[in-house]
Amino acid sequence: MSQSVLYRTLLFVVLAAAAVVFLVPTFVRPAPALWPWHQPVRLGLDLQGGTHLLYGVDIERAIDSTIDRHAQDLERELHDAQIGAVTAEREGRTIRVRLANKDKRQEVLDLVKERFPTLAPMPSEDVEADLSLTLDPRDAQRIRDNVVEQALKIIRNRIDQFGVAEPTVQAQGSDEIVVQLPGIQDPQRAKELIGKTALLEFKLLATGPQAGTPEHPGPGVQVVYGKGDAGGRRAYLVERRTLMTGDMLTDATVRPGTATEGMAVDFTLDARGGKLFGEISSANVGRNLAIVLDNYVESAPTIREPITGGRGQITGRFDFAEAQDLANVLRNGALPAPLKLIEERTVGPSLGQDSIRKGVLSFVVGSALVVVFMLVYYRGGGLIADAALFLNVLFLVGAFAAFGATLSLPGIAGIVLTIGMAVDANVLILERIREELRLGKTPRAAIETGYERAWYAIRDSNVTTLFSGLILFQFGTGPVRGFAVTLIIGIFTSLLTGVFGTRVVYDLLVSRRRLTTVSV
Amino acid sequence: MKGGAGPMATRPTARPEKAPTVEHRFFELIPPRLTIDFVGLRFKMLILSWTLILIGLVSIYLHGGLNYGIDFAGGTMVHVKFPAPTAIGDIRGALSRPELREVIVQDVGQGGREFQIRVLGAAEGGSTAVADGIKAGLREKFGEGTYDVLRVETVGPKVGKDLWRDATLAVLAATLVMATYIALRFELRFGVGAAVALVHDVLLTLGALSIANMEFDLTTVAALLTVVGYSVHDTVIVSDRIRENMRKMRRESLATIMNLSINETLSRTLITSGTAILVTAALFVLGGSVIHSFAFALLVGFVVGTYSSIYVASPIVLYLEGRKTPR
């Protein structure tokens, strides 16, 4: 018994210490240099001011255009393979291949199987009919997954250039992207930046002594960041001169590579581009050509041989998805699917400040009312409940800091509300203890029974509140989610402090002396 | 704990478990042996409840629906703050421009200083024409810099439609989940009672929102869901006591047990509802215009939720009992 009390006391001491560690950076700025935690509680846009943009990604359009492209490629390939007169067109989600010579049917199927593994022929009894091909559902799904991923990546790159402190760009649901720009009041420029067509440039990697270092790039050399080897960021030294831009590129496709070569991306240039690229590649064999999208190096393949004739190939150590991305970048040089701005919210800085002030004020007044009430009504028991309430808030806000959850105005309201509801457990227990005392039980027995009997009601009522919190979380976005998160964390901290925490105090009281009265 | 030293050391004393002759005096608002005949009042309360709900529904009907925020209707909202109280008519006047149709100007309860200007349904996704029009109108009338633009929001019409479905689903799901939980934990009829109580609470809160002309937006739905959770919370406490007393007193009629249970838990009910209502009132009065309707919905919902666990949920349990064993 005494040992259990000791352990439980220690648990709360440790938790409280941890909460303090997590919270210091929020209230002491700057936090002491050696302090183990540096992340203050993140404030939502409604509290710090800024712009929230919600974009819808038109994924189905992206799938349509992928199928369109496959149809074009297929038609070209069939033409190159000299399989008579053929047309391939997209009709809805299928590609209809019309053959002049039905005998070539099998040849076409073989070619599709070899070169277009993601296209599957639709079963048909009629050998005389046109051939219908559909996109493999797994590939359609991959496009769905990829499109948002890629749009996110591009938007992130662009926002990075915008120079906002701690921007948030993340997917929401299956086809939406949220962009949050703290401190930005006039979102016009940000919106233009996000919506614009990407700039695709080809530049040579700088070599030799003139290149300099990333800290001191040589003359005519600039530092451009890009994808590193292990998924990290890496600084590339590239020549400032843009050799060619993406508008000369007409197409790019993934070619499933051989075992030795890995994946390859084929690209086609228009006449002018073909000529230009021929000159560039002839003059720079052995050097690396950086493919720069929106000032971000996507890839920097080595030029192995002069590329004339307007067609080239990029090989590298990338997997299929990466190759697909690269092809996408080359082909579109732009967002993989049209974006539509569906929501725009701007909060001025004065409102954010005002909201924090009012939120804190309601918190102080609300909790003071509850604390005083508990003290007056339950005296000793109220004091213990109030101490638990203090720990509760400490843990709750500490959890926000520790998990990096975002505190919004409804979140603050949730904390205030948690205080009002947390004492419910204490009231249930104390009322029960009172009842048991009235029945003539000793304080010790009354406390024991009080906790035991009250527990069922406390558990059931908190489970239902938890349900509503979870549903709220599922339903809501942004600030509403913040409220739900507060409510959910609050249930756990309330149970921890209000039920288990206060019990430790009573156990201590009971074990220390012979209790003849208990103040409840 | 070895060694036994330190402030937390325990003295293993044999304690005789005999009741000490101590008279317990507690500070009480509700005397412990109260016997209010709650159950007997149930029909009057039923009439009261439905009258209030009806009034609320009529209000919603007369207002042509709830006072939707742009979250639900789509559109543009500009929230402005003036340094001194400003007549709402002046703002309306400033906004009578050809490009702005059906402008809603609402005083958001900060002493006539803060207003929300809404134009519903007009905004095409990404278009700032309406927001620009509102800002231009205010600028021309009041002069640049004499007021503060607190928030500008534009929501496309599609979001609003999705939101409606999501909100309705969320409230329905919450009600069903709660009722099922109660039915499993207690008995089916308790679950039915809880579900009816929840519908009652949501309808009454919606009515109150309409009568007070409070804006109905995303956070208001959040408040409704919280009310649903809170109301069940309260119902659980009362039902838990009813169940406990049913085991103790097998001979008594359910009505007697119910009355006893409600009386026994009344103190707790009023105190915890009291604290919850206290903090919500603090939010409502001090929390500012952004969460004004949110705090209002919570405030009303908590009052109604407390009432409903006594007067809506329990009578239904009793009614279903009566049907099970007809007299």
Side-chain angles (χ1 to χ4, degrees):
Chain A
M1 173 67 182
S2 71
Q3 212 157 35
S4 139
V5 174
L6 175 71
Y7 288 146
R8 281 182 287 154
T9 314
L10 271 178
L11 172 75
F12 280 93
V13 171
V14 169
L15 283 176
V20 170
V21 167
F22 286 125
L23 282 177
V24 160
T26 304
F27 295 100
V28 185
R29 287 191 197 178
L34 288 176
W35 199 260
W37 188 259
H38 284 279
Q39 186 64 48
V41 172
R42 286 166 51 118
L43 295 183
L45 274 191
D46 56 343
L47 294 181
Q48 55 175 322
T51 292
H52 160 108
L53 302 168
L54 178 68
Y55 285 96
V57 184
D58 196 343
I59 291 177
E60 299 311 310
R61 276 266 290 280
I63 294 177
D64 281 351
S65 66
T66 302
I67 297 174
D68 269 333
R69 231 165 23 239
H70 280 327
Q72 281 172 26
D73 291 349
L74 179 61
E75 203 176 278
R76 202 184 63 215
E77 294 265 346
L78 291 172
H79 184 77
D80 288 358
Q82 297 178 336
I83 304 184
V86 198
T87 59
E89 274 175 6
R90 176 173 72 86
E91 284 175 10
R93 280 291 154 86
T94 60
I95 296 174
R96 174 143 305 188
V97 184
R98 292 196 175 81
L99 297 162
N101 184 352
K102 306 288 181 197
D103 303 340
K104 300 276 188 176
R105 195 183 168 89
Q106 194 51 47
E107 272 181 60
V108 173
L109 284 173
D110 289 345
L111 187 135
V112 166
K113 202 170 167 190
E114 192 200 320
R115 300 301 305 270
F116 298 89
T118 56
L119 292 179
M122 304 230 289
S124 163
E125 300 288 309
D126 185 2
V127 289
E128 291 294 301
D130 294 334
L131 204 59
S132 289
L133 304 168
T134 55
L135 198 60
D136 185 334
R138 272 171 308 179
D139 202 52
Q141 190 53 44
R142 207 189 48 73
I143 294 170
R144 282 195 185 91
D145 297 342
N146 251 17
V147 161
V148 174
E149 256 333 284
Q150 223 188 320
L152 276 174
K153 201 170 82 181
I154 292 174
I155 293 177
R156 272 196 198 115
N157 286 346
R158 294 177 184 183
I159 295 294
D160 275 347
Q161 296 169 44
F162 194 56
V164 180
E166 297 187 41
T168 312
V169 181
Q170 53 188 201
Q172 174 178 301
S174 59
D175 60 353
E176 286 172 350
I177 291 176
V178 179
V179 178
Q180 296 199 319
L181 307 168
I184 300 296
Q185 303 309 326
D186 182 12
Q188 205 50 45
R189 230 195 91 209
K191 285 194 302 193
E192 279 164 13
L193 206 54
I194 291 169
K196 76 171 185 192
T197 319
L199 180 61
L200 181 67
E201 299 163 295
F202 293 88
K203 295 179 174 192
L204 282 171
L205 282 198
T207 50
Q210 283 127 5
T213 61
E215 290 76 29
H216 302 284
V221 175
Q222 67 181 138
V223 177
V224 180
Y225 288 93
K227 207 187 292 174
D229 272 340
R233 226 161 92 115
R234 146 171 187 204
Y236 290 86
L237 287 164
V238 301
E239 292 182 1
R240 261 177 213 288
R241 198 158 44 106
T242 300
L243 300 176
M244 213 174 88
T245 50
D247 53 334
M248 297 177 191
L249 221 112
T250 53
D251 199 13
T253 49
V254 177
R255 178 199 293 270
T258 59
T260 48
E261 269 194 319
M263 290 285 167
V265 176
D266 287 346
F267 60 88
T268 319
L269 297 158
D270 62 13
R272 198 163 58 98
K275 195 161 162 284
L276 188 60
F277 202 70
E279 287 164 17
I280 296 167
S281 54
S282 308
N284 295 292
V285 171
R287 291 188 68 180
N288 289 62
L289 189 66
I291 300 167
V292 185
L293 176 73
D294 273 347
N295 219 17
Y296 183 89
V297 177
E298 286 293 333
S299 172
T302 310
I303 303 172
R304 292 191 185 162
E305 57 201 4
I307 299 165
T308 50
R311 286 225 197 163
Q313 193 183 64
I314 303 167
T315 53
R317 283 168 299 160
F318 27 67
D319 61 23
F320 185 74
E322 283 170 327
Q324 191 98 10
D325 281 355
L326 183 60
N328 249 330
V329 164
L330 291 173
R331 195 166 48 231
N332 298 325
L335 295 161
L339 285 186
K340 196 172 168 220
L341 183 61
I342 44 185
E343 209 179 287
E344 177 182 340
R345 300 173 194 262
T346 308
V347 178
S350 61
L351 180 64
Q353 285 300 321
D354 198 43
S355 290
I356 294 179
R357 212 169 42 77
K358 284 178 172 159
V360 170
L361 183 67
S362 340
F363 168 77
V364 170
V365 172
S367 43
L369 288 172
V370 172
V371 164
V372 169
F373 175 82
M374 291 299 284
L375 213 51
V376 169
Y377 201 88
Y378 293 112
R379 288 170 296 182
L383 184 67
I384 295 170
D386 285 345
L389 214 51
F390 174 77
L391 272 189
N392 192 351
V393 175
L394 187 68
F395 290 175
L396 181 50
V397 187
F400 263 85
F403 298 138
T406 305
L407 188 65
S408 57
L409 180 59
I412 295 180
I415 295 177
V416 179
L417 201 58
T418 297
I419 292 182
M421 312 232 287
V423 289
D424 180 54
N426 298 109
V427 171
L428 278 168
I429 293 165
L430 291 170
E431 288 292 315
R432 206 68 207 222
I433 292 178
R434 281 183 174 188
E435 276 180 55
E436 302 297 328
L437 286 173
R438 281 191 201 106
L439 293 175
K441 289 199 180 160
T442 62
R444 198 175 122 98
I447 290 167
E448 188 78 33
T449 334
Y451 269 92
E452 194 186 316
R453 291 271 170 80
W455 171 242
Y456 297 104
I458 294 172
R459 182 194 57 193
D460 285 347
S461 61
N462 277 289
V463 166
T464 55
T465 313
L466 182 63
F467 281 147
S468 66
L470 290 174
I471 291 171
L472 196 54
F473 183 81
Q474 197 55 39
F475 156 75
T477 55
V480 170
R481 254 191 185 189
F483 176 68
V485 168
T486 324
L487 224 52
I488 292 169
I489 301 178
I491 289 167
F492 290 106
T493 55
S494 298
L495 284 181
L496 184 66
T497 57
V499 181
F500 300 105
T502 55
R503 185 66 201 262
V504 175
V505 180
Y506 282 109
D507 283 349
L508 274 174
L509 282 177
V510 168
S511 66
R512 270 178 66 77
R513 63 193 160 90
R514 216 178 123 177
L515 221 53
T516 48
T517 60
V518 58
S519 168
V520 290
Chain B
M1 191 160 155
K2 282 164 196 154
M8 280 183 298
T10 55
R11 249 167 281 152
T13 44
R15 262 182 296 266
E17 290 294 328
K18 197 174 116 261
T21 50
V22 179
E23 196 187 327
H24 298 286
R25 291 175 57 90
F26 307 121
F27 178 70
E28 282 153 347
L29 290 175
I30 312 288
R33 273 166 208 87
L34 199 67
T35 49
I36 302 174
D37 184 14
F38 288 103
V39 174
L41 286 170
R42 66 185 189 277
F43 292 112
K44 282 180 190 157
M45 290 302 169
L46 189 73
I47 293 168
L48 178 71
S49 280
W50 286 107
T51 312
L52 289 176
I53 288 176
L54 205 65
I55 292 173
L57 292 180
V58 167
S59 164
I60 294 173
Y61 177 76
L62 291 180
H63 280 94
L66 289 159
N67 181 11
Y68 292 119
I70 57 165
D71 285 344
F72 281 95
T76 296
M77 188 273 288
V78 178
H79 185 164
V80 287
K81 182 184 184 179
F82 292 90
T86 304
I88 201 164
D90 287 353
I91 298 171
R92 288 211 178 93
L95 299 172
S96 54
R97 299 163 70 90
E99 73 264 38
L100 301 175
R101 261 172 289 164
E102 303 220 17
V103 181
I104 304 166
V105 182
Q106 180 161 24
D107 181 341
V108 284
Q110 304 294 309
R113 289 182 176 83
E114 284 185 31
F115 298 89
Q116 276 187 16
I117 300 156
R118 273 174 283 156
V119 176
L120 298 184
E124 258 302 299
S127 159
T128 50
V130 177
D132 291 343
I134 293 173
K135 285 193 239 172
L138 292 172
R139 199 163 48 232
E140 281 165 27
K141 170 98 181 183
F142 299 101
E144 179 94 52
T146 57
Y147 55 91
D148 201 358
V149 177
L150 298 180
R151 285 191 288 171
V152 180
E153 303 189 344
T154 301
V155 176
K158 190 176 158 280
V159 182
K161 242 201 234 154
D162 290 354
L163 211 57
W164 238 124
R165 195 197 55 214
D166 292 351
T168 318
L169 273 180
V171 173
L172 282 180
T175 309
L176 271 181
V177 168
M178 303 291 165
T180 312
Y181 182 76
I182 303 257
L184 290 177
R185 272 250 154 268
F186 299 94
E187 287 169 42
L188 182 62
R189 51 197 166 127
F190 285 92
V192 176
V196 176
L198 290 181
V199 173
H200 167 269
D201 298 346
V202 170
L203 286 180
L204 261 181
T205 310
L206 285 177
L209 280 166
S210 169
I211 291 168
N213 200 26
M214 288 280 173
E215 188 190 341
F216 187 78
D217 62 7
L218 250 180
T219 56
T220 330
V221 179
L224 280 182
L225 283 167
T226 314
V227 165
V228 166
Y230 179 83
S231 169
V232 169
H233 182 117
D234 229 38
T235 308
V236 166
I237 309 285
V238 178
S239 304
D240 183 67
R241 186 57 72 101
I242 294 174
R243 181 173 58 176
E244 190 185 321
N245 283 336
M246 272 162 71
R247 287 199 195 117
K248 272 198 235 161
M249 298 170 268
R250 294 191 180 276
R251 299 246 171 94
E252 295 293 341
S253 76
L254 185 60
T256 316
I257 291 175
M258 223 167 241
N259 249 337
L260 181 75
S261 308
I262 295 172
N263 275 298
E264 277 178 355
T265 50
L266 188 66
S267 173
R268 172 267 154 200
T269 304
L270 293 186
I271 290 169
T272 50
S273 306
T275 56
I277 289 165
L278 270 184
V279 294
T280 331
L283 281 175
F284 179 65
V285 177
L286 306 169
S289 52
V290 179
I291 52 169
H292 209 53
S293 61
F294 171 73
F296 177 81
L298 282 181
L299 195 57
V300 174
F302 284 179
V303 174
V304 175
T306 309
Y307 159 87
S308 74
S309 38
I310 297 175
Y311 281 114
V312 181
S314 303
I316 284 179
V317 177
L318 194 64
Y319 174 72
L320 291 175
E321 164 88 2
R323 282 170 62 94
K324 213 168 65 177
T325 51
R327 269 168 288 182

